[in-house]
Amino acid sequence: MPQFSLYEEEHHPSPWQRTWREFRASHIAFVGLVVLAIFFFFALFAPLVAPYDPIQQNLNSLLIPPSWERNGTIDHLFGTDALGRDVFTRIIYGCRVTFGSSLVLVIIAMVLGVTIGTVAGMMSGVRSSIVNHLLDALMAIPTLLIAIIIVAIVGTGLVNSMWAITLALTPQFIHFTRTFVRSEMKKEYILASRLDGANAWQLFSHSILPNMIEMLVVQGSLALSIAVIDVSALGFLNLGAQPPLPELGAILADGLDVAYLAPWNVALPGLSIFLMVLAINVVGDGLRSALRKRVSR
C-alpha cells in the first residue's frame, strides 16, 4: 500500500506539486525565492543575527567606512552612521520592520478584501453596481497617495502607517475577489452545489475558496512589493516609523545628511529595499508563469 501511494504521488502529483515543479524550473524565480527567504530570516531572527544594538550610539565610532574599504574594519561590516550606530545591524532590524510590517498588513488586507469581495461578488443589482464603481474610483488612486492622506488625518507613526497602507491595499483584493467570485458563480459546479442545498458560506468555503487560493498567493506577492515600497516611502518622508526605530526608508532618509561624506549610509539601505522589492516581484512573476504553464498542460 505505501508503494502504491508513492507511485500515485510521483505519477499523479497534486496541483501544488505541479506548480512547485514549474516554479523550480525557473532559475531566476528560485534565486528570488532564496533572496526573499534571507530577508524573512533576518526579519524573524534579527536579535540573534545582529551584532549590536540598532539604536545604541557610539561617539568614538562615527562614520567608519565599510569593511571592504581601506579604513574599514571587520567589527563594522557595513560601517557606521553619523551617530556611530552599526549600519549592518540597523539594516537587519530595518528588514524586520519593513518586511515584517509589510507582510502583516498584506495578510490583513487580504482577509478584509476577500471577505468584502466575496459578499460583493454574490450580490447583484444596484448594490453590486455601486460597489463596482466605488472600487474603480479607489483603484484609480495610487496606494501611496491614499496612505499619505490617511496618515495626514490620523497622525504619523508605524502603526498608523500600517493601517493606512492596509486600507489602501484592501480595494485591490476586493476587486480581484469580486471579479473571481462573479465568474465562478456562473459555472455549473456552483449550480450543482446550489441544487444540493448549499448555502452561501458552504459555496464559498467548499467550492470557491479552494480554486482561489493559488491566485491569492500571486496577488498577495504583488501587493507585498507595493507594501514594502509604501512603508519605505512613508518612513523616508518621516510619516511612518519614527526615530530611533530602524526602518529601511527612515535609515535612508537619515543617511542623506551625510551622503557626500559617507555614501554607504544611503547606498546600502537603498540597495536592501531594491533587492527586497526585486525578489518579491521575481517570485510573483515565477508563480504566475508556473500557474499558467500548469493550467495549459
Side-chain angles (χ1 to χ4, degrees):
M1 189 68 178
Q3 294 180 353
F4 178 76
S5 299
L6 292 174
Y7 175 84
E8 288 292 327
E9 183 178 353
E10 180 180 356
H11 294 273
H12 300 282
S14 66
W16 282 104
Q17 290 174 329
R18 292 197 297 269
T19 303
W20 169 246
R21 289 179 181 178
E22 296 291 347
F23 178 85
R24 193 173 53 185
S26 174
H27 299 296
I28 297 178
F30 188 77
V31 171
L33 182 62
V34 172
V35 174
L36 199 59
I38 294 174
F39 282 117
F40 184 78
F41 177 81
F42 284 162
L44 201 60
F45 300 105
L48 300 178
V49 178
Y52 299 99
D53 188 331
I55 62 176
Q56 182 179 3
Q57 302 178 15
N58 186 357
L59 300 182
N60 296 322
S61 302
L62 302 180
L63 299 180
I64 295 178
S67 58
W68 56 82
E69 292 193 3
R70 179 181 303 176
N71 297 324
T73 172
I74 195 64
D75 293 335
H76 298 285
L77 188 63
F78 288 176
T80 61
D81 61 8
L83 296 176
R85 297 172 296 191
D86 185 67
V87 175
F88 179 64
T89 298
R90 287 181 61 79
I91 288 179
I92 290 178
Y93 274 89
C95 292
R96 186 182 200 184
V97 175
T98 303
F99 185 73
S101 61
S102 299
L103 191 60
V104 170
L105 67 88
V106 166
I107 293 174
I108 297 175
M110 184 182 296
V111 172
L112 292 175
V114 170
T115 303
I116 300 173
T118 301
V119 175
M122 291 183 176
M123 291 190 308
S124 59
V126 178
R127 291 178 298 177
S128 178
S129 178
I130 292 174
V131 172
N132 185 35
H133 291 302
L134 182 60
L135 287 176
D136 290 339
L138 289 176
M139 293 188 65
I141 307 174
T143 57
L144 181 58
L145 180 58
I146 297 177
I148 290 175
I149 294 174
I150 296 175
V151 168
I153 296 174
V154 301
T156 60
L158 179 62
V159 176
N160 288 342
S161 65
M162 287 178 61
W163 280 115
I165 299 172
T166 300
L167 295 177
L169 288 176
T170 300
Q172 297 186 10
F173 288 102
I174 296 176
H175 177 76
F176 164 77
T177 305
R178 178 182 177 275
T179 303
F180 186 87
V181 170
R182 288 182 66 85
S183 175
E184 293 296 304
M185 292 294 289
K186 299 177 182 178
K187 296 184 177 180
E188 294 181 356
Y189 78 95
I190 295 294
L191 178 60
S193 299
R194 281 182 164 180
L195 292 177
D196 287 340
N199 55 32
W201 168 249
Q202 291 171 335
L203 286 176
F204 172 73
S205 60
H206 294 89
S207 300
I208 297 176
L209 184 59
N211 295 325
M212 190 169 50
I213 289 178
E214 291 182 350
M215 298 303 295
L216 279 176
V217 172
V218 176
Q219 188 69 18
S221 66
L222 298 177
L224 183 59
S225 65
I226 297 175
V228 169
I229 294 175
D230 290 352
V231 169
S232 301
L234 290 178
F236 181 81
L237 297 173
N238 200 28
L239 297 175
Q242 300 296 307
L245 183 65
E247 190 274 322
L248 292 179
I251 296 173
L252 181 60
D254 291 339
L256 289 178
D257 296 333
V258 291
Y260 292 103
L261 296 175
W264 60 88
N265 282 287
V266 176
L268 295 176
L271 181 62
S272 300
I273 297 172
F274 172 77
L275 290 177
M276 189 181 297
V277 174
L278 180 63
I280 295 171
N281 286 333
V282 167
V283 170
D285 290 339
L287 285 174
R288 276 201 308 274
S289 177
L291 289 171
R292 191 180 303 113
K293 291 179 180 178
R294 195 205 73 190
V295 172
S296 64
R297 291 184 179 181

